[in-house]
Amino acid sequence: MYRLDLRRLILLLTIAATLLTLLNSFHASYRTLYRQLIAQTLEANRAYAAKLAHSTDNFLKAAQQQLAYSATLLPELFDRPEQLDAEVARLKGQTGTFNGVFIVRTDGRVLATAPNSLGLAGSVLKTQEMLAALRARQPRISAPYAGVRGYLLVFLSQPISTRDGRYLGYVGGAIHLGKHDGSLQALLGNHYYQDGSQLYVVDANRHLLHHQDPSQIGEIVNGNPAVEAVLRGEEGSRQLLDSQRTDMLAGYAPVASTGWGVVAQRPSTATLAALDDLMLEILFDVLLFFVPLLVAIWWLSKLIARPLQQLAITARHWEFSSAQEQIRHVHSWYFEAEQLKLAMLNGLALLHGKLGRLNQENITDPLTGLVNRRGQQFALKRWQEQQQPFAVIALDIDHFKQVNDNHGHDVGDQVLQHVSHLMDSVSRSSDLVCRSGGEEFVLLLPETSLEAATQVAERLRGLISHTQAPTGAFVTISAGVAHWPGSASSVPTVLKLADEALYRAKRNGRNRVVVTGQQEIGSEDAPLD
């Protein structure tokens, strides 16, 4: 009779499982590192763009503040040309922020300029941005535009007014964009990377204001998702294709005061360049472990006994009730198989025993031995599914906190056990005695009417109040009684009604039973028979 060679089967399965595990681990490592590198680069670019956007915003605000301070001094100097010249020279030379500084009268005539080489003093300016600054009569940052000499610049202006509010003109400063001697260019810096990373700034009309390639400054950027997002005032990061169809990892942030946007981006290939080398190192390290393992498995497979397929298949389904019977029917015709069969049967018996004990422990309160809240919910669900009526007695030990305060928690635990024992003594085998938490208990009585449950509750109350507790005195209980489905159609509602009746008993003086929908039974002693 032909029998499958289990040694070869184990060997083939082990090799396949090992290779699949290796491939899965390798792929998972690759995907994890890939996502991590992408996420780190996106976040780094976002943070860098946000930093530069914030610095640019602060730079422009500081420049505006310089002009604002100068505007407070100039009304007294308007008729003093030499002092006007000194003031524009101070503004230009003090921080190096402005490439050019102008004081312009309301008729557009330039009263003073710095540097003098501009040759504009005494002339009437008619450029659009200069006239817009005159009309604005408020602090203003212009949109970028081409100056007289063709340089792209931005113009900041601050109105000059007398103390009585008479408008005299403005003081303004030009900042070159894209020039090596521009202060904003110095702030943003030069970013020339071998890996193709880029940093650029666009204005609200999508014109490039800063770029590592000066020839591109002034060009319009269209179809770039990062640019569109940052011009909507969004800060974030995303993976995108640039105008050259290069996959980029871009971070972006807006410049709040101007509506410009700063974008920092790096090619995905540059970010992932080291990933392949890293994965080769990981593969080499993994193979150093798996190759000896495969050799060991190949050798150990020779030592495995022959046909154990039935036992192996059955062992994978130990959770089924039929597993034990299936193992008994396995034909163990040799010593090793017989010993394994016996071991599996013994182990299965132990497992079932442990599972039974674990299940019992899972629904049992360790202090009192009563059913805990989990077991209570399980029983209620089963009774509800079976449409089995039941009564609920919710009870609570009166003044239990005083027991703990006066006698200690150990005696308090003994009182809980004392009450639990008395509850057991008045319950039937079909009843469920539960500890729902602390000094609160629940007695579930299947197939019991509301009236009968009330009698049980009153008998229990009288028994407890006449039985000496571990404190050396007597304790009392308050109880609430409800019925399902008599009191309500919903099981949670019935439990709530029993609790509410219990709290009514508490409020009305304790040591009494209150029935849902009825008056309280009272605190008179009940017969114990």
Side-chain angles (χ1 to χ4, degrees):
M1 181 179 179
Y2 175 78
R3 298 183 185 277
L4 183 63
D5 187 343
L6 189 59
R7 182 184 67 82
R8 289 188 177 88
L9 178 60
I10 292 174
L11 184 60
L12 289 174
L13 288 175
T14 305
I15 291 175
T18 302
L19 289 177
L20 286 174
T21 302
L22 173 61
L23 291 175
N24 181 66
S25 301
F26 188 78
H27 180 261
S29 299
Y30 180 86
R31 294 303 303 171
T32 300
L33 290 171
Y34 177 91
R35 288 191 293 267
Q36 187 176 21
L37 287 172
I38 294 294
Q40 287 176 347
T41 301
L42 287 172
E43 177 57 21
N45 286 344
R46 183 208 62 79
Y48 188 54
K51 177 183 177 181
L52 287 181
H54 184 69
S55 298
T56 301
D57 191 53
N58 287 339
F59 169 82
L60 294 173
K61 288 179 179 177
Q64 197 77 49
Q65 289 173 356
Q66 293 178 46
L67 295 175
Y69 175 75
S70 182
T72 62
L73 305 176
L74 289 172
E76 308 296 329
L77 309 177
F78 246 58
D79 298 323
R80 305 172 187 176
E82 292 182 0
Q83 294 190 13
L84 291 178
D85 289 339
E87 179 60 15
V88 293
R90 181 192 68 79
L91 273 174
K92 183 180 184 305
Q94 184 175 24
T95 61
T97 298
F98 302 105
N99 294 93
V101 180
F102 306 82
I103 297 175
V104 181
R105 212 166 55 188
T106 54
D107 59 0
R109 188 171 301 279
V110 179
L111 299 182
T113 66
N116 292 327
S117 60
L118 295 176
L120 297 176
S123 63
V124 177
L125 296 177
K126 297 181 180 181
T127 63
Q128 182 177 353
E129 290 299 328
M130 295 291 187
L131 294 176
L134 278 175
R135 291 192 300 268
R137 299 194 177 192
Q138 62 182 1
R140 184 174 182 273
I141 300 177
S142 75
Y145 67 98
V148 176
R149 299 185 179 182
Y151 298 138
L152 189 67
L153 54 87
V154 62
F155 188 74
L156 284 70
S157 60
Q158 187 75 24
I160 303 171
S161 300
T162 61
R163 292 183 179 180
D164 59 2
R166 187 165 55 90
Y167 179 56
L168 301 179
Y170 67 81
V171 56
I175 301 175
H176 289 168
L177 304 173
K179 281 194 65 181
H180 62 84
D181 61 344
S183 54
L184 188 58
Q185 174 73 9
L187 172 68
L188 296 173
N190 295 315
H191 303 270
Y192 301 108
Y193 297 102
Q194 297 293 332
D195 61 6
S197 295
Q198 299 174 358
L199 174 76
Y200 55 91
V201 181
V202 294
D203 69 3
N205 296 316
R206 297 177 178 78
H207 290 94
L208 279 173
L209 306 182
H210 173 80
H211 196 276
Q212 68 183 48
D213 183 1
S215 65
Q216 294 190 35
I217 293 176
E219 293 183 1
I220 298 177
V221 181
N222 288 316
N224 188 307
V227 171
E228 299 301 322
V230 77
L231 292 184
R232 291 194 298 267
E234 299 174 9
E235 177 182 329
S237 60
R238 64 177 64 195
Q239 193 167 0
L240 53 84
L241 293 176
D242 67 2
S243 59
Q244 306 299 319
R245 309 303 296 174
T246 301
D247 189 79
M248 288 287 189
L249 303 174
Y252 47 88
V255 179
S257 60
T258 62
W260 301 351
V262 179
V263 180
Q265 61 186 27
R266 188 185 189 199
S268 299
T269 52
T271 296
L272 302 173
L275 184 57
D276 292 339
D277 292 338
L278 182 60
M279 293 309 300
L280 286 176
E281 293 180 11
I282 293 175
L283 179 61
F284 179 77
D285 292 337
V286 170
L287 288 176
L288 286 178
F289 170 77
F290 274 102
V291 171
L293 178 62
L294 289 175
V295 173
I297 291 172
W298 177 84
W299 178 77
L300 289 172
S301 66
K302 296 180 181 180
L303 305 178
I304 298 175
R306 292 175 182 171
L308 300 174
Q309 185 176 16
Q310 286 180 286
L311 292 175
I313 292 174
T314 306
R316 287 186 290 178
H317 303 284
W318 275 24
E319 69 273 20
F320 297 141
S321 59
S322 60
Q324 198 166 13
E325 191 62 24
Q326 291 176 3
I327 293 173
R328 287 197 182 97
H329 283 85
V330 171
H331 180 56
S332 52
W333 53 270
Y334 54 93
F335 177 77
E336 291 82 4
E338 179 67 18
Q339 294 301 307
L340 182 57
K341 174 181 174 180
L342 292 174
M344 290 175 66
L345 288 171
N346 291 335
L348 191 58
L350 290 172
L351 178 62
H352 286 168
K354 288 183 178 179
L355 288 176
R357 288 194 298 274
L358 285 173
N359 184 59
Q360 185 64 28
E361 292 173 359
N362 193 42
I363 63 171
T364 302
D365 174 51
L367 176 64
T368 62
L370 301 182
V371 175
N372 61 17
R373 188 183 294 273
R374 185 181 292 106
Q376 173 186 325
Q377 292 173 347
F378 178 78
L380 289 173
K381 180 179 180 183
R382 186 174 72 251
W383 291 354
Q384 185 178 20
E385 290 172 349
Q386 297 171 354
Q387 293 296 305
Q388 178 175 322
F390 61 89
V392 180
I393 302 175
L395 60 94
D396 183 282
I397 301 174
D398 296 330
H399 303 297
F400 184 72
K401 183 178 184 299
Q402 294 180 8
V403 174
N404 282 330
D405 292 344
N406 297 333
H407 301 278
H409 289 278
D410 288 342
V411 174
D413 289 346
Q414 294 174 22
V415 171
L416 293 174
Q417 293 168 340
H418 164 73
V419 172
S420 303
H421 175 71
L422 295 179
M423 290 179 68
D424 263 333
S425 69
V426 301
S427 63
R428 304 167 298 183
S429 60
S430 60
D431 297 339
L432 201 64
V433 186
C434 313
R435 182 188 178 197
S436 54
E439 67 272 22
E440 298 176 358
F441 299 84
V442 172
L443 187 56
L444 300 176
L445 311 174
E447 302 294 346
T448 304
S449 66
L450 185 64
E451 293 75 13
T454 303
Q455 293 174 7
V456 173
E458 183 60 23
R459 186 164 64 250
L460 177 60
R461 185 198 64 78
L463 176 62
I464 292 174
S465 65
H466 285 79
T467 304
Q468 187 175 8
T471 59
F474 297 92
V475 296
T476 62
I477 64 167
S478 300
V481 186
H483 185 271
W484 184 83
S487 301
S489 58
S490 166
V491 171
T493 303
V494 169
L495 296 176
K496 183 178 179 181
L497 290 173
D499 281 337
E500 290 175 353
L502 165 61
Y503 292 134
R504 280 178 53 202
K506 289 284 190 183
R507 289 194 300 269
N508 293 341
R510 297 182 173 84
N511 190 22
R512 62 193 65 223
V513 176
V514 172
V515 182
T516 298
Q518 301 179 16
Q519 295 298 321
E520 64 183 65
I521 300 301
S523 59
E524 298 299 328
D525 292 338
L528 303 183
D529 52 355

